[in-house]
Amino acid sequence: MKIRHLLLKLSLVIMVIISLVLSWLIWTNNARFQRDTTDVATPKTQTTSKNVNEVYLPTQLLTSNETGAKYLVYNNKENLIDALHKKMTKWRFARPQKMNFTSKSYLAAVNQADAVSLVYPHNISYGVFGKAFKQKVARVNQQRLFNRIILPAAHADTAYFLNDQHKTGFKVTLRHADQAAIQARLKKTTMRLPVTEKWFNNRLQMYFLRNVKVTQYSYLVTKQSPTTFVTSLLGGDPSALETKEQKDLTTYSDGTYKNLAVDHRKGTVDFEDYSKDIARKTPTVALTNGHQMLNKIGNTPGNMRYFDYETKTHTMVYRSYVEGLPVFNQTDFGAVKVQLLKNGVKLNFSLYALQVPLPADKAATPLPTTQTALDRLSAAGYDLTKITGIKLGYHWGVNASSSSVIDLTPTYYYHYNGKWVSFDQLLNPTSDAATTSEERAE
């Protein structure tokens, strides 16, 4: 009992000594401990991360019947591409085998009868596809680029991965593929637009063969507080940052490597971070890091999809999608632009995000066929050889009666002279359609 009592006293003495030593350290090193306390107490912004399999999915679904008639399809009650993605993650894709094409044979493969095609708006690497579709991809195959997957009914155990830009491709053998389940899903389509694909300025373009009737939408829109992004991207307390005000521009800086500028008139944010290098040597690495930077923004819309990748500048563009169609005019570039630099990264994104769909005030005016629209542009004096892309999409415009409502009007968009411009903007360059939605909102 005496020994136990002595041990207890000894323990108490040791605890008192330790307490006195810690108190002395705090008193004599106050600045250091205050810094640690501040770091722990700094509030963190609640962000919403997006998985790779949400961002890097195909955006268009095409089907062709036994006669070769081809359709762009969609179901406004169910996202068919999401449904097919869930099915295909259970398949197993064997080692890729290279395929050789001429321009003629490549076009024949694209427009083959009795097939299903899942199409990306731009090239993606097979390595990123593997991450999105839960497939193991050997390192030697990581950098294979493609933008469409074709599933022919005649060869249910084969998938073709094609690259429109280079007219190249590869095929894989499928295991556990269930094409019957896919066909059952496709019977539920609510939109079927007759199309064909052919070469235009040496690029494969989709041509709509009849007047296009696509639903017009209106959405309640929310404008997020710039402070949210100041906190998530710059970190720390916004009041402790260097802040400059100049007309419609507010700039925040940490005084070293990070800078964030908010354009209140356009409703956009430009962010630069030169604190560290971000790998970009291969397409797979660049696209993976682009996705990670997208998540750093936080609270990105749920309908965000990969839209473009410029290899020379290592720039990725992500857009909002509605009913399978890209939304334009939200910013000059897309919903989010990520550029990986040699010594850092640049981000450009919008403060605005679509929230709740509303009944549209009026039905959308049917669009002419693709060829008729091109003929009208030619008649208006445009040089069609300067068009390097054609997309059916939605024009983002502020509702005339409420700045908190966005009207999404279907129209053609053309990549003309290096910039996406709508059909209406080209034919009527001085109209309201040529003014960005953010400028009209202010």
Side-chain angles (χ1 to χ4, degrees), residues 23 27 29 71-72 108 147 149 162 181 187 221 229 245 249-250 327 349 353-354 360-361 376 381 434:
S23 298
W27 295 333
N29 296 274
Y71 302 89
L72 173 66
N147 69 291
I149 307 167
L162 304 184
K187 290 180 180 178
V221 68
F229 303 109
E245 299 280 353
L249 192 68
T250 303
V327 176
F349 56 94
L354 301 174
D361 293 336
R376 289 177 62 182

Side-chain angles (χ1 to χ4, degrees), residues 352-401:
Y352 296 95
L354 301 174
Q355 290 295 302
V356 182
L358 303 170
D361 293 336
K362 58 182 179 180
T365 303
L367 298 171
T369 67
T370 302
Q371 187 59 58
T372 300
L374 287 172
D375 291 342
R376 289 177 62 182
L377 291 179
S378 180
Y382 286 98
D383 183 357
L384 300 189
T385 62
K386 294 182 179 180
I387 295 177
T388 57
I390 305 172
K391 298 286 186 185
L392 176 64
Y394 280 110
H395 176 83
W396 169 298
V398 176
N399 186 279
S401 59

Side-chain angles (χ1 to χ4, degrees), residues 133-329:
F133 283 79
K134 299 181 180 179
Q135 303 296 320
K136 292 183 179 180
V137 177
R139 181 175 297 181
V140 69
N141 295 316
Q142 290 273 337
Q143 310 312 325
R144 292 178 180 267
L145 298 178
F146 68 95
N147 69 291
R148 70 173 68 227
I149 307 167
I150 298 181
L151 305 172
H155 304 282
D157 60 347
T158 304
Y160 301 105
F161 290 74
L162 304 184
N163 183 326
D164 294 350
Q165 183 180 359
H166 298 111
K167 305 179 185 69
T168 58
F170 57 93
K171 64 180 179 179
V172 300
T173 300
L174 303 175
R175 290 188 292 114
H176 311 305
D178 187 359
Q179 295 253 24
I182 288 182
Q183 293 298 331
R185 290 279 187 179
L186 295 179
K187 290 180 180 178
K188 300 178 181 180
T189 58
T190 57
M191 181 183 79
R192 288 169 56 87
L193 301 177
V195 298
T196 190
E197 294 186 89
K198 55 185 179 180
W199 299 117
F200 176 80
N201 292 337
N202 201 36
R203 290 174 171 83
L204 202 60
Q205 303 292 351
M206 183 183 298
Y207 278 63
F208 291 89
L209 303 178
R210 298 178 189 169
N211 289 355
V212 181
K213 295 181 180 180
V214 179
T215 305
Q216 178 169 320
Y217 286 93
S218 293
Y219 273 80
L220 280 177
V221 68
T222 181
K223 184 177 182 180
Q224 301 183 74
S225 170
T227 307
T228 301
F229 303 109
V230 171
T231 304
S232 63
L233 293 173
L234 290 177
D237 184 0
S239 63
L241 300 171
E242 295 181 9
T243 305
K244 294 181 181 179
E245 299 280 353
Q246 185 179 9
K247 293 185 178 180
D248 297 315
L249 192 68
T250 303
T251 304
Y252 303 87
S253 175
D254 67 351
T256 53
Y257 302 106
K258 298 179 182 180
N259 184 75
L260 187 146
V262 181
D263 190 319
H264 300 283
R265 181 174 62 87
K266 291 184 177 181
T268 56
V269 176
D270 286 290
F271 174 70
E272 298 176 351
D273 181 0
Y274 298 99
S275 63
K276 59 182 177 180
D277 296 338
I278 299 178
R280 58 176 194 170
K281 290 183 178 180
T282 67
T284 296
V285 168
L287 291 169
T288 300
N289 286 334
H291 165 256
Q292 291 177 356
M293 293 309 303
L294 181 68
N295 276 338
K296 282 186 177 297
I297 296 173
N299 300 318
T300 52
N303 55 351
M304 189 74 67
R305 293 288 185 268
Y306 165 69
F307 180 79
D308 191 19
Y309 174 45
E310 173 53 55
T311 55
K312 291 183 179 179
T313 60
H314 303 282
T315 301
M316 285 138 282
V317 173
Y318 305 88
R319 289 191 183 276
S320 299
Y321 272 74
V322 173
E323 300 289 5
L325 300 179
V327 176
F328 292 85
N329 204 46

